[in-house]
Amino acid sequence: MGEIWIKEAERLGDGSIGGAMDSPSAPGRVVWHTTESGAGNASFNAVGKYLITAASEPHILYDPTTDRLAQYGPLNQSARALRNDGATRTNRTGRVCIQIEVCARAGTPFTGYWKPGPNFKALMRAIRSWGVPDAWPAGSCAPGASRNRTTWATKGGHYGHCHVPGNDHWDPGNIDRAAILKAAPTTSTPATPATPSAPATSTSTYTVKSGDTLSGIGAKTGVKWESIAALNGIKAPYTIKVGQVLKLKATSTTPAAKPTVSVAHLNAARAKDIPAATGHTTYPAEVKVVEAALKAEGLLAATYAADGSWGTKTDDAYNAFRRKSGYTGSAATGSVGLESLKKLAAKHGFTAKA
């Protein structure tokens, strides 16, 4: 599983905009839209509110002139920015269907004047964490672009609103598609993987077979597909040929041991540390693991991230992580639950247990 909430993004709305995907076995994709508005903070704020009022929320709102980034809902669920194609719910096509509204006008392609920065790189990092390839399967976004149903249903990658069957808009306009990918090269720091890669096999090469993809080869060999691509000089759109011999990046055959954190121990610490004197610890080693993860999420200040005490700051930070992960109401407060701890563990390399 990839990133669900982008830590660098602002939050808009209540975090609930859709539901489960209809075809989770289909490749992941991204759809680029334009808001048909100006850019800048005033437009960003106005459009951000309007999309909620109109119940047309995408996952992401992005400003190409300020690099401002906001998120309405979890990336692993659907958004509301597309029309259905008959009985096909286009918003729910694929493993993910990440909808991005850019504060711009289709008639003036934003790639001609934009200023992508760290937030754009964070957005692309999250997109790639879902295995969405750096490719545009339907081609140009110019007026008259193809809305091929087979392409949409079977090909992962980046699309414009103009490519989606059942829709009649032609945004985002004739943008420079290559510029989108070049603005956040794959050599930039990737997100922490949801699950650690398996150790590589002793095989130092791999011969491409019929039906193979880079991500599939990565899963078979325990080597990240990005590493395979870089080692073999394969660049977007990451095409490989049957019979091609790929070098594999060697890694240790013995994975590093992961720390284990117990929900029961955390709740015992929570019950004792909060009412006790500042700095009181109960299970400091396990609490420190969680504090480090919350710090990495940007939710806990470094001052409180290594004391091993489950105080009010740590408790507030954990509640913030639950809200960030989509929990609401009573599920976002109180005792630590195994489900939410597993989500944090999957992102930060430790094991959660009851």
Side-chain angles (χ1 to χ4, degrees), residues 309-336:
S309 173
W310 193 285
T312 55
K313 297 294 186 183
T314 300
D315 202 53
D316 289 345
Y318 194 82
N319 291 341
F321 172 74
R322 287 191 276 203
R323 292 192 297 272
K324 182 178 178 180
S325 300
Y327 294 89
T328 59
S330 61
T333 60
S335 299
V336 177

Side-chain angles (χ1 to χ4, degrees), residues 280-291:
H280 182 275
T281 62
T282 306
Y283 288 99
E286 291 173 66
V287 172
K288 284 182 180 179
V289 172
V290 174
E291 286 177 325

Side-chain angles (χ1 to χ4, degrees), residues 262-275 280-283 287 310 335-336:
S262 161
V263 168
H265 289 175
L266 294 184
N267 283 322
R270 183 175 181 273
K272 295 179 181 180
D273 294 352
I274 290 177
H280 182 275
T281 62
T282 306
Y283 288 99
V287 172
W310 193 285
S335 299
V336 177

